[in-house]
Amino acid sequence: MNKETVEWIQSIDKISNSHVEEAKRYIDGLTKPIGSLGLLEDIAARLSGMKKQRFPKISPPGVLVFASDHGVVEEGVSAFPKEVTAQMVYNFLNGGAAINVFARQIGAHFSIIDVGVASDMEHEQLVSRKVDYGTRNFVQEDAMTEEQARQAILVGMEATQAIIDQGAKALILGEMGIGNTTAASAIVSVVTGCSVEQAVGTGTGISQDAKVHKQKVILKAIRERQPNLEDGLDIVKKVGGFEIAAIAGAILKAAERRIPIIIDGFICTSAALIACLLQPNAKEYMFASHLSQEPGHEAALQFLQLKPLLDLKLRLGEGTGAALAYPIIEAAARMLSEMATFESAGVSKG
Amino acid sequence: MNKETVEWIQSIDKISNSHVEEAKRYIDGLTKPIGSLGLLEDIAARLSGMKKQRFPKISPPGVLVFASDHGVVEEGVSAFPKEVTAQMVYNFLNGGAAINVFARQIGAHFSIIDVGVASDMEHEQLVSRKVDYGTRNFVQEDAMTEEQARQAILVGMEATQAIIDQGAKALILGEMGIGNTTAASAIVSVVTGCSVEQAVGTGTGISQDAKVHKQKVILKAIRERQPNLEDGLDIVKKVGGFEIAAIAGAILKAAERRIPIIIDGFICTSAALIACLLQPNAKEYMFASHLSQEPGHEAALQFLQLKPLLDLKLRLGEGTGAALAYPIIEAAARMLSEMATFESAGVSKG
């Protein structure tokens, strides 16, 4: 990254504790027993601290789906052929995927970004920011060059800026990339220190034998690539993916703009680890949406000290878990701005 | 209940297993790895079985809030004075309570029914179906007469019919009644066999000493009243509440109309126990929305074999947990009707 970008990342601020405390006091005066809305009260106070507003608005949200291919697929780590990445991008563009359905339900702005699909794609609605035709096979060589990693991070930043300019007041991040649970498992294992066995699951649905093979592939990659566990850029370059780097960039831009970020499942959380290595303050703008069926997700969330809002046994990605959790966060914001106080409603206190 | 009502309750049918199975097969062809939408897939299949439709619609939902007072409050079991029931009803009518906020968010029809508030109330929007000015103190005598119990159940049935006629396609049930965790704890202890200590929590926020007192009050009431643990009508008459009886009636009517019912927290679940004693098939139309902070809720849900969708540390009631869970159930319905199949989208299978 150039000096300007590095300085910009360093400038990302924590949330405002004085706004958090003020919101908590205000919430205690709303017409309900103190604390009775549980986690919604914490969410609302944090939103207030992020936006530095008494009545933060988070609607409409914006959904960004970053798509990319992975060279490591040639090691036979996925249940689906590589072509599915591009096929699913067309499905997103035609509105038929799960994330389209859930994004429509919550009235979200929606954008799909090609940051590294392995084939040429054309569609009016597609944001084409291809860094390369997929990453390299990171068992053999680095997944990407340092310049490509920077470029992918910038793609994420720009897409976030664009959707905020369209009016998005909260950010839902998703991804599509056959093979990307392999990259995410490598990142989670490197950053959190959990074993590769703990970090690896069945992805889109591989067999137990294939899972053991996937673990061996990741172990070999980490041994060969030797990523620096404190350097987010080095990790994403060596064992990451373009969509993971882009999501890390999107998180940093949202944090800088004081926009709440709803983290989806395993892949997205691996990108959150990268973002937090680059700027720990970014964590304060994150909500963890759900606990994925991928076993490494729990270790990643614990590392970030985030607790998931939902546990619906999901393992799809695309941003679906984050879109499903969004209404809870919106409800918290509405609680702040729309509920009556004991005083305004003339209700006796306990 | 008269012979006609009893026969009507007996006629409530199970959900359609053939529709459940057909929906499951269809879901396996949608563009996502099989099973990757976790609980949403089960919810969607159950909705299909309830409505006997391939593409069940559950929007808009209807919210019914039943309000009533409790004679047992004179034993000093609540952190709030009795007057708060009526004050909160006016808050609902003016749109300032938490359930109003969450009902607006999900575009719900909304109705508030006075089934037994202890004071005269007037408001254009209030559905006045007062059975009495609150229940009797059930430590001293039965909470209500058998005729009153029947009447309250009918109020719930009629309110459900009315909101379905307005267009509601799913039902969210809520309540307001200072003292009603005491009645609910008694019901849950009697029906599930859990101890009173397990069934009693801090309600709207009483002290530990007050909790021990509340347990003693309930133990005494159960000993004095001797409710028949297999007879829903007898239990609600002896230690229940008008709003609890009304919710049981609302559940039965919704089940008969094959409308999905989203069960809120502790009070609502105690009413679900009553409804299921009257007609076990009603359970098949229920979704448990959240796990309440009230300790008896878990025992009640286990008895019903229902798993809560959310765990947000709520303990407010009013239907708030059910309204917060509704978007997840709506997402499941939309998944069925809006997602593309592998075939229609031209995506390769794994």
Side-chain angles (χ1 to χ4, degrees):
Chain A
M1 269 165 270
N2 59 28
K3 195 168 158 248
E4 205 176 82
T5 310
V6 170
E7 284 177 0
W8 174 88
I9 290 174
Q10 283 170 347
S11 77
I12 293 172
D13 201 5
K14 288 181 187 295
I15 69 172
S16 161
N17 269 327
S18 64
H19 284 83
V20 170
E21 293 307 319
E22 195 191 313
K24 282 182 180 172
R25 279 190 297 273
Y26 181 79
I27 291 166
D28 284 348
L30 298 175
T31 47
K32 56 168 191 55
I34 286 181
S36 61
L37 278 173
L39 299 186
L40 262 70
E41 303 191 13
D42 303 329
I43 294 168
R46 285 186 61 204
L47 289 173
S48 206
M50 290 176 200
K51 299 220 171 193
K52 290 190 175 177
Q53 291 167 353
R54 161 72 65 89
F55 301 125
K57 293 269 183 297
I58 67 159
S59 176
V63 175
L64 297 175
V65 180
F66 296 93
S68 186
D69 273 304
H70 292 262
V72 73
V73 164
E74 69 190 36
E75 301 287 338
V77 288
S78 178
F80 282 83
K82 194 171 186 168
E83 292 69 43
V84 168
T85 303
Q87 290 168 351
M88 281 300 294
V89 169
Y90 282 117
N91 195 21
F92 296 138
L93 292 164
N94 294 325
I99 186 60
N100 298 105
V101 175
F102 303 156
R104 283 194 293 269
Q105 182 182 342
I106 59 175
H109 293 287
F110 186 87
S111 183
I112 159 91
I113 303 103
D114 171 8
V115 63
V117 180
S119 57
D120 287 313
M121 304 206 68
E122 257 185 66
H123 192 288
E124 214 177 44
Q125 305 292 322
L126 180 67
V127 181
S128 295
R129 295 286 183 279
K130 207 189 288 290
V131 175
D132 204 345
Y133 291 86
T135 53
R136 313 290 175 87
N137 178 353
F138 59 60
V139 177
Q140 308 295 338
E141 56 189 315
D142 288 354
M144 62 190 85
T145 66
E146 191 165 313
E147 177 51 32
Q148 286 180 324
R150 285 180 185 133
Q151 202 183 325
I153 288 171
L154 284 174
V155 168
M157 290 178 177
E158 285 166 11
T160 298
Q161 184 61 57
I163 208 157
I164 292 172
D165 289 346
Q166 282 176 49
K169 293 182 173 59
L171 194 62
I172 289 165
L173 295 167
E175 42 56 48
M176 177 69 216
I178 295 300
N180 66 11
T181 58
T182 300
S185 295
I187 292 170
V188 168
S189 179
V190 167
V191 177
T192 72
C194 81
S195 72
V196 167
E197 287 71 22
Q198 280 178 287
V200 171
T202 51
T204 49
I206 56 175
S207 67
Q208 280 304 308
D209 283 356
K211 193 175 100 169
V212 172
H213 171 67
K214 186 172 165 182
Q215 289 166 346
K216 284 182 186 161
V217 166
I218 294 168
L219 270 172
K220 189 175 175 198
I222 294 174
R223 205 166 47 228
E224 297 284 329
R225 302 276 80 69
Q226 295 283 336
N228 174 352
L229 63 86
E230 290 175 350
D231 183 346
L233 197 66
D234 191 64
I235 296 167
V236 84
K237 165 192 142 184
K238 286 178 174 164
V239 297
F242 295 133
E243 80 280 49
I244 293 172
I247 292 173
I251 288 169
L252 293 170
K253 171 55 81 175
E256 189 252 347
R257 293 294 307 272
R258 309 190 75 90
I259 294 284
I261 305 149
I262 313 177
I263 302 291
D264 190 39
F266 186 54
I267 320 299
C268 192
T269 309
S270 78
L273 292 172
I274 300 294
C276 288
L277 287 176
L278 296 171
Q279 173 51 274
N281 289 346
K283 197 182 73 179
E284 304 207 347
Y285 297 86
M286 293 179 190
F287 294 102
S289 59
H290 79 110
L291 181 65
S292 166
Q293 289 294 86
E294 279 292 299
H297 196 211
E298 198 160 0
L301 289 175
Q302 274 173 4
F303 187 88
L304 292 166
Q305 296 172 285
L306 293 175
K307 288 203 174 154
L309 289 168
L310 301 174
D311 184 2
L312 299 173
K313 317 298 177 202
L314 309 175
R315 53 180 174 82
L316 177 54
E318 302 179 0
T320 50
L324 289 168
Y326 169 81
I328 293 169
I329 301 168
E330 192 193 338
R334 284 171 175 258
M335 173 196 79
L336 262 181
S337 59
E338 296 183 28
M339 268 186 81
T341 61
F342 282 103
E343 202 171 354
S344 71
V347 174
S348 311
K349 282 199 181 188
Chain B
M1 271 165 272
N2 59 28
K3 196 169 156 247
E4 205 176 81
T5 310
V6 170
E7 284 177 2
W8 175 88
I9 291 174
Q10 282 170 347
S11 77
I12 294 171
D13 201 5
K14 289 182 186 294
I15 69 172
S16 160
N17 268 328
S18 64
H19 284 83
V20 170
E21 293 308 320
E22 196 191 314
K24 282 182 181 173
R25 280 190 296 275
Y26 181 78
I27 291 166
D28 284 348
L30 299 175
T31 47
K32 56 171 190 53
I34 286 180
S36 62
L37 279 173
L39 299 186
L40 262 70
E41 303 191 14
D42 303 329
I43 293 168
R46 285 186 61 204
L47 289 173
S48 206
M50 290 177 201
K51 301 221 171 194
K52 291 189 175 178
Q53 291 167 352
R54 161 72 66 86
F55 301 125
K57 293 271 183 294
I58 67 159
S59 175
V63 175
L64 297 175
V65 181
F66 296 94
S68 185
D69 272 304
H70 292 261
V72 73
V73 163
E74 68 190 36
E75 301 286 336
V77 289
S78 178
F80 281 84
K82 197 171 186 169
E83 291 70 44
V84 168
T85 303
Q87 291 168 352
M88 280 300 293
V89 170
Y90 283 117
N91 196 21
F92 296 138
L93 292 163
N94 294 325
I99 187 59
N100 298 106
V101 175
F102 303 156
R104 283 195 292 269
Q105 182 182 341
I106 59 176
H109 293 288
F110 186 87
S111 182
I112 158 92
I113 303 102
D114 171 7
V115 64
V117 180
S119 57
D120 287 313
M121 305 204 68
E122 258 185 66
H123 192 287
E124 214 176 45
Q125 305 293 320
L126 180 66
V127 181
S128 296
R129 295 285 184 280
K130 206 190 288 289
V131 175
D132 204 347
Y133 290 87
T135 53
R136 313 291 175 85
N137 178 352
F138 59 60
V139 177
Q140 308 295 338
E141 56 188 316
D142 287 355
M144 63 190 85
T145 66
E146 193 164 311
E147 178 50 34
Q148 286 180 325
R150 285 180 187 133
Q151 202 182 327
I153 289 171
L154 284 174
V155 168
M157 290 178 177
E158 286 167 8
T160 299
Q161 184 61 57
I163 209 157
I164 292 173
D165 289 345
Q166 281 176 49
K169 293 183 173 60
L171 193 62
I172 289 165
L173 295 167
E175 41 56 49
M176 176 69 217
I178 295 301
N180 66 11
T181 58
T182 301
S185 296
I187 293 170
V188 167
S189 180
V190 168
V191 178
T192 72
C194 82
S195 72
V196 168
E197 286 71 22
Q198 280 178 288
V200 172
T202 51
T204 49
I206 55 175
S207 67
Q208 280 303 309
D209 283 354
K211 193 174 99 169
V212 172
H213 172 66
K214 186 171 165 182
Q215 288 167 347
K216 285 183 187 161
V217 166
I218 293 168
L219 270 172
K220 189 174 174 198
I222 295 174
R223 206 167 47 227
E224 298 282 330
R225 301 277 80 71
Q226 295 284 337
N228 175 351
L229 62 86
E230 289 175 352
D231 183 346
L233 197 66
D234 191 63
I235 297 167
V236 84
K237 165 192 141 184
K238 287 178 174 164
V239 296
F242 295 132
E243 80 280 48
I244 293 172
I247 292 173
I251 288 170
L252 292 171
K253 172 55 81 176
E256 190 252 347
R257 295 293 309 271
R258 309 191 75 89
I259 294 284
I261 305 150
I262 312 176
I263 302 291
D264 190 40
F266 186 53
I267 320 298
C268 192
T269 309
S270 78
L273 293 173
I274 300 293
C276 287
L277 287 177
L278 296 171
Q279 173 49 275
N281 288 347
K283 197 182 77 180
E284 304 208 348
Y285 297 85
M286 294 178 190
F287 294 102
S289 60
H290 79 109
L291 181 65
S292 165
Q293 290 293 87
E294 278 293 300
H297 196 212
E298 198 159 1
L301 289 174
Q302 274 174 4
F303 187 87
L304 292 167
Q305 295 173 287
L306 293 176
K307 287 202 175 155
L309 289 168
L310 301 174
D311 184 4
L312 299 173
K313 316 298 177 202
L314 309 176
R315 52 180 173 83
L316 177 54
E318 302 180 1
T320 50
L324 289 168
Y326 170 81
I328 293 169
I329 301 168
E330 192 194 337
R334 285 172 175 257
M335 173 197 80
L336 262 180
S337 59
E338 297 182 28
M339 268 185 79
T341 61
F342 282 103
E343 203 172 350
S344 71
V347 175
S348 311
K349 284 199 180 189

